[in-house]
Amino acid sequence: MTDPWARPANQAPPVPPPPQFPQGPNPGQAGIPPQGGPGEPQKTDSSLLAKITNLFRDPLSIVLVVVIVVALALAGVLGGELYARSRADSVVTKATECVVQDSAKASFGVVPPFLWQHMSGHYTNINIETAGNQVREAKGMKVIINIKDVRLEDTATASGSIGSLVANINWSSEGIKQTIQDAIPLVGAFLTGVTTNPSAGTIELQGALGKITAKPEVVDNGISLQVTELSGLGFTLPRETVQPALDAFTSSLTKNYPLGIHADNVQVTDSGVVSQFSTQNASIPKDNQDPCFAGL
């Protein structure tokens, strides 16, 4: 008798199910960092490149980038311009102060830009103004100078050239009095004041015993005080004695300036004496010729 529950002879035995292993979290879940393939860094680079590409596709972004670049460039040029201009002002100021023996302030012309002038060695316009305390031993003298067409070209005999220099000088009456008192004992001993007469073109050196009337004139490229009158009770000095003393005084003050600077004209005003000095096509001295120009 056949067993109804028996396995058929030709049937394979059942295959047992595969073993069940615990399943861990998927890559990227908490606990296990994602494993990037070799292509991941390239994806980051590609993303950055894409952002930059997109930035330059926007016209507004392009304009902003250009504006920033131009602004930075202009800031650099402006900073260099201001520094170079300040440095040059300082050098010229120092040379002027050495010549006039008073504090001064120099400034270069705005056009063309100073950096261009410096690179070319051609300075178009320089303005200088002294404090007005003195010029050499002349007390109360103020000078305003305008210099044009300066070219720095080092040669065997000069450091460069100056196309033109014009100096306007204002010498106050009080300054004239102080200067004469200090410099001319013969006259300064009795001098108590100085007044001017613009209509006559003269100045009066006043003392307790009399006065000296003198006319400022241009003589030998300098300013001279020509005595026209001596008056006053008890005044015994002859003109021949006073005039040489005044000539020596004015010569030491208004002659022998560097660069061939000389007097052009002189005029008496209500407050003193004004004059103009100038020079044309002058050679700038080398360091060993004039120490005042050593820093140029």
Side-chain angles (χ1 to χ4, degrees):
M1 183 173 177
T2 305
D3 184 1
W5 303 102
R7 181 185 297 112
N10 59 350
Q11 183 175 354
V15 179
Q20 299 295 322
F21 296 96
Q23 301 295 321
N26 294 328
Q29 293 180 347
I32 299 181
Q35 300 298 321
E40 288 300 325
Q42 285 77 2
K43 291 182 180 179
T44 303
D45 295 343
S46 299
S47 176
L48 179 60
L49 180 60
K51 290 180 180 180
I52 296 176
T53 303
N54 292 335
L55 176 66
F56 282 96
R57 286 177 179 173
D58 183 5
L60 180 58
S61 299
I62 296 175
V63 172
L64 290 176
V65 170
V66 172
V67 169
I68 292 173
V69 171
V70 172
L72 291 175
L74 289 177
V77 172
L78 180 59
E81 171 79 7
L82 294 177
Y83 173 79
R85 184 177 291 274
S86 175
R87 173 62 180 160
D89 290 349
S90 176
V91 170
V92 175
T93 296
K94 184 177 179 180
T96 303
E97 291 176 345
C98 179
V99 173
V100 302
Q101 299 175 20
D102 190 13
S103 58
K105 182 179 180 181
S107 61
F108 284 74
V110 178
V111 179
F114 178 79
L115 287 176
W116 177 263
Q117 298 182 58
H118 184 64
M119 289 186 294
S120 65
H122 179 205
Y123 304 90
T124 57
N125 188 28
I126 306 173
N127 295 301
I128 306 171
E129 183 174 343
T130 67
N133 299 311
Q134 65 184 51
V135 173
R136 295 179 173 176
E137 291 80 16
K139 307 298 183 181
M141 186 177 284
K142 182 181 181 66
V143 186
I144 297 177
I145 306 171
N146 179 253
I147 305 174
K148 294 183 178 180
D149 193 21
V150 177
R151 298 179 184 272
L152 297 183
E153 300 170 343
D154 195 28
T155 66
T157 58
S159 296
S161 63
I162 295 176
S164 69
L165 181 152
V166 177
N168 293 300
I169 301 176
N170 191 328
W171 197 7
S172 67
S173 299
E174 180 64 22
I176 295 173
K177 184 189 80 170
Q178 293 178 8
T179 307
I180 292 177
Q181 286 176 334
D182 294 341
I184 314 179
L186 181 66
V187 179
F190 80 91
L191 186 62
T192 59
V194 173
T195 60
T196 61
N197 187 342
S199 60
T202 59
I203 64 173
E204 293 182 356
L205 310 180
Q206 300 170 336
L209 301 178
K211 66 179 181 180
I212 302 173
T213 302
K215 186 178 182 64
E217 295 180 352
V218 176
V219 177
D220 296 332
N221 294 325
I223 303 298
S224 174
L225 296 177
Q226 297 294 314
V227 177
T228 61
E229 183 181 355
L230 296 175
S231 62
L233 181 63
F235 195 91
T236 58
L237 292 176
R239 179 183 182 280
E240 291 75 14
T241 303
V242 175
Q243 187 63 61
L246 290 178
D247 289 344
F249 162 70
T250 55
S251 177
S252 65
L253 297 178
T254 64
K255 291 183 180 182
N256 302 318
Y257 280 112
L259 306 173
I261 298 173
H262 58 273
D264 295 326
N265 56 67
V266 60
Q267 181 180 357
V268 178
T269 68
D270 292 332
S271 59
V273 176
V274 297
S275 59
Q276 177 178 295
F277 284 66
S278 70
T279 188
Q280 303 286 329
N281 301 319
S283 296
I284 301 175
K286 295 183 74 67
D287 297 356
N288 57 358
Q289 295 173 332
D290 193 328
C292 289
F293 294 87
L296 296 180

